[in-house]
Amino acid sequence: TRYWRDWSSDVCSSDLNCWGQIEPKLTTETTYIDVAVGNSSACAIESDGSVWCWGANASGQLGNGTTRSADVVTKVEGLGTSVATHVAAGFRHFCVTTVDGFVFCWGDNSKGQLGNSGLDSKSPVPVSGIGTATSITSGDYHSCAVVDSDKVMCWGDNTKKQILTTASAKEAPVALPYAKVSKVSAGGYNTCVLTTEKKVSCIGDNTELQAPASILGDYVDVSVGYRSVCLIKDSSKQASCLGS
């Protein structure tokens, strides 16, 4: 797996061994390439590009057309022939990128985190007008993608200005004012951007000093949690963190 995320008390590791409150019934014959854990639900991408989810489903976050919870992996319906490459978990929504550069999201849409102004969706809906996506990340109620190789688009909750500092509380997909972006990481009510020049800037909730406009130093990776941010320095290859 390219990464794993720990929300609440649920964890999944690289070979999709799972433990915690939402441990699914798995078969040893299946192989996975990515996994993301939300609030009492999780989704993983099989090696063939299909997406499977399990756990709580009150907002349709399992993507199987129902709101019934599941303790076994259930296939996300509605992606058609799309081949998923990355999956990201919000609080009660999930998003994936595909081989063709599209983004689909499903689940809770109370704050526009599915990329549209509609209701919650029990099956994937496309996020339109964002360009060709290469990666995806989600905070509690917002999501962001690196698009067209080096730009970043975000959508959803903006109450803490985690998307734009001069915008409304809920945002349709909008470009952030950063160039040469290599990675974007969203978590909680924050967003951090890493550029190809190894600079990191963060926006959003700053109650724990976790969102400085810029972080001095040269970095090769960044990851945002609920109220904390961790980075890997280029020179030492060691982690440094800030926030709660």
Side-chain angles (χ1 to χ4, degrees):
T1 311
R2 297 177 184 85
Y3 62 90
W4 62 268
R5 247 183 116 168
D6 177 10
W7 288 77
S8 184
S9 58
D10 311 307
V11 181
C12 283
S13 66
S14 59
D15 57 358
L16 209 58
N17 293 313
C18 296
W19 57 97
Q21 295 178 349
I22 57 169
E23 181 180 349
K25 297 179 176 68
L26 297 170
T27 61
T28 57
E29 294 80 12
T30 305
T31 57
Y32 298 89
I33 61 171
D34 207 3
V35 63
V37 183
N39 178 52
S40 299
S41 56
C43 291
I45 301 175
E46 277 195 19
S47 56
D48 64 359
S50 60
V51 185
W52 299 74
C53 301
W54 63 95
N57 196 29
S59 298
Q61 62 264 44
L62 300 191
N64 61 3
T66 77
T67 54
R68 295 189 300 273
S69 299
D71 62 355
V72 296
V73 292
T74 60
K75 189 175 184 178
V76 172
E77 302 292 345
L79 287 173
T81 58
S82 296
V83 176
T85 54
H86 299 276
V87 59
F91 188 69
R92 289 181 178 176
H93 79 283
F94 289 89
C95 294
V96 294
T97 56
T98 71
V99 167
D100 298 322
F102 297 113
V103 173
F104 293 87
C105 299
W106 61 91
D108 178 26
N109 198 37
S110 58
K111 299 184 180 181
Q113 59 267 48
L114 303 189
N116 59 62
S117 58
L119 301 175
D120 296 355
S121 180
K122 299 186 288 290
S123 59
V125 292
V127 180
S128 60
I130 64 172
T132 303
T134 56
S135 67
I136 187 75
T137 181
S138 294
D140 276 10
Y141 298 98
H142 74 293
S143 294
C144 299
V146 175
V147 302
D148 300 334
S149 299
D150 63 353
K151 301 178 182 64
V152 58
M153 300 282 293
C154 297
W155 55 93
D157 180 32
N158 194 44
T159 54
K160 301 292 185 180
K161 304 302 181 185
Q162 61 266 49
I163 296 177
L164 289 177
T165 59
T166 57
S168 62
K170 186 187 296 185
E171 278 299 305
V174 61
L176 272 61
Y178 300 101
K180 300 180 180 179
V181 175
S182 62
K183 181 179 181 179
V184 58
S185 180
Y189 298 88
N190 296 89
T191 305
C192 290
V193 170
L194 173 67
T195 71
T196 56
E197 297 172 341
K198 302 178 182 179
K199 305 302 180 185
V200 173
S201 298
C202 299
I203 54 177
D205 179 24
N206 198 37
T207 54
E208 300 287 345
L209 305 180
Q210 73 271 37
S214 62
I215 303 175
L216 296 178
D218 293 334
Y219 300 94
V220 293
D221 203 4
V222 60
S223 183
V224 183
Y226 180 63
R227 287 184 173 177
S228 58
V229 175
C230 288
L231 312 99
I232 297 177
K233 292 184 177 180
D234 182 31
S235 56
S236 64
K237 298 299 188 289
Q238 292 184 340
S240 59
C241 301
L242 61 151
S244 176

